[in-house]
Amino acid sequence: MAAKSVKCWHLWLLLLLSVRASVAKNSRRSMNDDVLRPYTHGHGPAHSHRYVRDCQGILYGNTTHESWASSNDRGQPVAESRLFVTDVKDVGGVSRWVYGHMTVVHDPLQTVSVVEPGGPGGCKMNHQVSVEETAEAAGCLYAQNAGFFNTKSGVCLGNVVSNGRLVQDSRGLQNAHFGIRKDGTLVFGYLSQEEVLDKSNPFVQLVSGVIWLLRNGEIYIRQSLEAECNKTQETGSLQKFVEVVSARTAVGHDAAGKLILLHIDGQTEIRGMNLWQLANYMKDNGVINAINLDGGGSSTYVVNGSLASYPSDHCKSDSKWRCSREVSTVLCVHKRRCQPANCSGNGECVDGHCLCKKGWQGSACDSLVCQPPACGPHGVCTQDGCVCDAGWRGKNCSQECLTGFYGDSCNKTCSCANGGSCDPVSGRCTCLPGFYGETCKQACPLGFFGLSCAEKCDCDDLCSCDPQTGSCNVTFQGETNNTLHDAGLCLAKQMLTSWKREDANNEKPYLRERSWLIITTTLTVVLMASLTAHAVQACRGSVASHSAGRRDYSYVPLSKMNGAFLCAKDAEDNRKGNAELEDSDSQDEIWSPTGSGRA
């Protein structure tokens, strides 16, 4: 709850401050009651520039304006302002005291600007702003009102150029002008539309006035009345506009090219000066050319953002006070500025001079120190000097890259191996015969030789050749030799494997060698076992028969005795009686007393 209360108090405080600021601002507004217009309807004459040219004296030929070289004295302050009081006599010889300010500007090109009301874009938006506000925003040391404007709509009248920017083109309106061209020339007088829009030496500041006061040191009001027409206006005729005493504002120059700003305090038909008196006063003070600017209640002079003149308009809030009028364009005297203010982005502005960065030159730092054709056909100029194309080097890009380098300014190192050379632009390697690849690190494959390894070897038995010359009489060293050795071993293994596969695919025998060997060995062992068994059995039979004969009697047929005897006799020699013994054993019948029959 407390937070809401504090918030509400803040809002009420801001609202109160806003209201008070608005009231304070409104309290300083004038009633625009001291109006001094040269024309009743519209602004300016309806005739053409040719009319003005044809009506002027033969002395001036076809030139309808005057040009004068401006001063650029930097040894003095930017400007000097003086408050003066002078005695002015009326037509009847009655003297009056007139107050005013005269400002002498030593370097107009660098220190004087035509400023739109409130700043850039003010004329387009029909703004009306007091001289104090505009001067403060623009940083003016001294300021006074300048061009005419419509007090009801706020429309700026006449031609306006502000700091090199065309704000408004009046389509050839023939009123007196003041301007400063790009080269510093001061211009006063009547201009055609073509001259206003001239691009060869354009205006950087331009504003329209009414009545050319002084031309080449002589009062030019009468001729100006004829040139600018004699139409009626709110306070009477144009003649009345010239002759009525009022507050006045004017601009001119002296013989040294110094700009003179003049402001006269006054009130229409009560105090101040008429244009004849103003022209005479300026002439007496050494002014050569001068034009009249907006006056009456618009006439205002400001020093360092503060009002220094005595306005003639009454204040809206209280008519016993005087308030300055909200006007249109302003003549502003400021510290020296660079053109352009940022020195084209290539320097720093110091007291109106552009201190250029390295590589830049000119009053605006808009020109490179390096200028073609300094870098020849193989480079471009930059703020750092010549920047060479790829493949070139040197101060003026006239030398090709050294061997082993390539690219922009030759700052890249080639990576070509085995004696290969690289392109100075792209760095692409060109390999010697016998090598290939992006960096020439790879030798030609076996069986190929020459540039880019594009040729095949033509050696007997498909043997490899020298990768560089293609010669078949070659001895390989190092890695190549190891490669060949490994390749031979690999090939031999592959051939052996291939042969085995071929043998395996051929017709196979029923039994393998091992099987045959096992069978043969087995049969031999069986046979030997059989022979041994028979021999042992035969021997046992013979021994048994001999032993039994001692104890028992047995009947053996006589016809068999010879066989048995022979067997017993030949028992030691098996080789001679094996077959016979076997036949005898199989056929003999042995009798035994214990047996019941034949054994």
Side-chain angles (χ1 to χ4, degrees):
M1 194 71 183
K4 290 184 178 180
S5 177
V6 172
K7 187 175 181 180
C8 289
W9 276 109
H10 285 170
L11 291 175
W12 278 109
L13 181 60
L14 289 174
L15 182 60
L16 179 62
L17 291 174
S18 299
V19 169
R20 290 192 64 180
S22 177
V23 170
K25 184 175 181 181
N26 290 331
S27 67
R28 295 195 300 270
R29 285 189 174 180
S30 72
M31 297 175 63
N32 291 348
D33 51 342
D34 186 10
V35 179
L36 182 64
R37 291 196 185 101
Y39 305 100
T40 303
H41 302 288
H43 182 79
H47 49 250
S48 66
H49 178 259
R50 181 174 181 177
Y51 172 86
V52 174
R53 182 191 63 192
D54 293 343
C55 289
Q56 68 180 3
I58 299 176
L59 172 65
Y60 303 109
N62 292 328
T63 304
T64 59
H65 62 271
E66 298 295 333
S67 299
W68 201 277
S70 65
S71 168
N72 59 355
D73 188 356
R74 293 176 175 271
Q76 307 225 7
V78 171
E80 297 172 308
S81 178
R82 293 185 177 91
L83 172 65
F84 65 86
V85 180
T86 184
D87 183 16
V88 177
K89 291 183 179 181
D90 291 335
V91 179
V94 179
S95 295
R96 292 178 295 101
W97 294 105
V98 176
Y99 299 85
H101 295 84
M102 179 181 287
T103 306
V104 180
V105 185
H106 300 286
D107 188 4
L109 177 63
Q110 298 294 331
T111 61
V112 174
S113 297
V114 174
V115 182
E116 295 180 71
C123 282
K124 184 177 181 181
M125 293 182 281
N126 299 332
H127 282 174
Q128 291 176 254
V129 182
S130 68
V131 177
E132 302 102 289
E133 291 181 59
T134 300
E136 184 177 6
C140 305
L141 302 175
Y142 307 99
Q144 65 183 31
N145 66 293
F148 288 82
F149 65 99
N150 189 307
T151 56
K152 294 180 180 179
S153 66
V155 173
C156 299
L157 301 176
N159 293 303
V160 179
V161 175
S162 177
N163 296 320
R165 180 173 51 88
L166 179 63
V167 175
Q168 186 167 291
D169 174 16
S170 67
R171 308 291 181 182
L173 189 68
Q174 292 305 297
N175 282 122
H177 287 80
F178 157 68
I180 305 175
R181 292 192 182 274
K182 186 177 181 179
D183 64 356
T185 301
L186 303 177
V187 177
F188 292 84
Y190 303 113
L191 301 171
S192 66
Q193 186 177 16
E194 291 75 14
E195 290 168 331
V196 171
L197 303 178
D198 176 43
K199 298 297 183 182
S200 61
N201 186 20
F203 283 101
V204 292
Q205 315 294 341
L206 184 65
V207 68
S208 297
V210 174
I211 303 299
W212 192 348
L213 299 174
L214 293 172
R215 183 172 187 178
N216 286 335
E218 299 296 331
I219 296 176
Y220 200 68
I221 296 176
R222 197 174 304 281
Q223 296 91 326
S224 185
L225 280 170
E226 185 177 354
E228 298 187 46
C229 295
N230 186 12
K231 291 186 177 180
T232 59
Q233 41 88 33
E234 291 180 19
T235 57
S237 64
L238 188 59
Q239 184 72 40
K240 177 77 177 291
F241 173 80
V242 171
E243 294 179 352
V244 67
V245 295
S246 185
R248 300 290 186 174
T249 306
V251 59
H253 72 87
D254 63 11
K258 297 177 182 179
L259 198 67
I260 308 297
L261 304 182
L262 192 67
H263 163 265
I264 303 295
D265 281 325
Q267 185 173 354
T268 304
E269 296 185 343
I270 297 175
R271 53 191 173 90
M273 287 185 180
N274 62 34
L275 294 188
W276 295 100
Q277 293 165 340
L278 180 63
N280 275 299
Y281 182 80
M282 296 185 78
K283 181 180 178 181
D284 292 342
N285 283 273
V287 177
I288 306 299
N289 289 287
I291 68 165
N292 174 66
L293 299 173
D294 192 11
S298 298
S299 188
T300 310
Y301 185 73
V302 171
V303 178
N304 290 324
S306 298
L307 183 65
S309 61
Y310 298 93
S312 58
D313 276 354
H314 294 86
C315 296
K316 281 187 175 181
S317 59
D318 190 343
S319 60
K320 70 180 179 180
W321 304 108
R322 303 298 175 106
C323 290
S324 61
R325 180 181 295 177
E326 292 180 339
V327 297
S328 180
T329 52
V330 169
L331 276 179
C332 172
V333 180
H334 49 74
K335 292 181 180 180
R336 289 182 175 86
R337 297 174 181 171
C338 296
Q339 295 294 336
N342 66 345
C343 296
S344 305
N346 304 314
E348 181 182 1
C349 184
V350 177
D351 193 28
H353 277 296
C354 285
L355 299 182
C356 301
K357 296 178 182 178
K358 180 183 177 182
W360 293 93
Q361 63 182 354
S363 60
C365 297
D366 57 353
S367 176
L368 288 168
V369 173
C370 174
Q371 293 290 328
C375 300
H378 304 297
V380 294
C381 284
T382 69
Q383 65 183 64
D384 297 319
C386 291
V387 174
C388 302
D389 295 338
W392 295 89
R393 63 186 179 89
K395 186 176 181 180
N396 56 359
C397 303
S398 60
Q399 302 172 10
E400 291 186 353
C401 290
L402 294 173
T403 302
F405 296 90
Y406 75 99
D408 295 335
S409 300
C410 303
N411 57 4
K412 296 183 180 179
T413 303
C414 295
S415 58
C416 305
N418 297 312
S421 60
C422 72
D423 184 274
V425 177
S426 65
R428 186 178 296 109
C429 294
T430 301
C431 303
L432 292 175
F435 300 95
Y436 75 102
E438 290 186 0
T439 57
C440 303
K441 290 183 177 180
Q442 298 170 275
C444 288
L446 295 175
F448 295 88
F449 74 98
L451 287 172
S452 302
C453 303
E455 301 184 52
K456 292 185 178 180
C457 296
D458 188 17
C459 299
D460 295 337
D461 300 323
L462 299 178
C463 290
S464 298
C465 63
D466 186 284
Q468 298 180 11
T469 63
S471 173
C472 297
N473 184 16
V474 60
T475 300
F476 296 103
Q477 301 292 334
E479 185 177 350
T480 303
N481 188 48
N482 294 335
T483 301
L484 287 175
H485 180 265
D486 294 342
L489 290 177
C490 179
L491 182 61
K493 290 180 180 179
Q494 290 180 352
M495 291 177 65
L496 181 59
T497 302
S498 177
W499 291 343
K500 287 182 178 180
R501 288 176 180 173
E502 290 179 0
D503 291 343
N505 292 330
N506 291 335
E507 185 177 356
K508 297 181 179 178
Y510 290 103
L511 294 175
R512 296 180 180 178
E513 292 180 2
R514 185 176 180 182
S515 300
W516 281 110
L517 182 61
I518 292 172
I519 292 172
T520 303
T521 302
T522 302
L523 290 175
T524 303
V525 171
V526 171
L527 180 60
M528 290 301 295
S530 178
L531 290 174
T532 302
H534 282 83
V536 171
Q537 186 177 2
C539 289
R540 286 179 177 176
S542 175
V543 172
S545 297
H546 182 69
S547 299
R550 290 181 181 180
R551 297 176 302 196
D552 300 318
Y553 292 97
S554 62
Y555 172 74
V556 180
L558 184 62
S559 60
K560 299 298 180 182
M561 291 295 293
N562 292 334
F565 176 72
L566 290 173
C567 179
K569 185 180 181 180
D570 298 331
E572 297 178 357
D573 190 0
N574 292 328
R575 293 174 297 179
K576 296 181 180 181
N578 284 335
E580 295 177 356
L581 287 173
E582 290 176 358
D583 292 338
S584 296
D585 291 339
S586 64
Q587 297 176 4
D588 285 349
E589 293 180 357
I590 301 176
W591 180 87
S592 172
T594 61
S596 61
R598 297 181 180 180

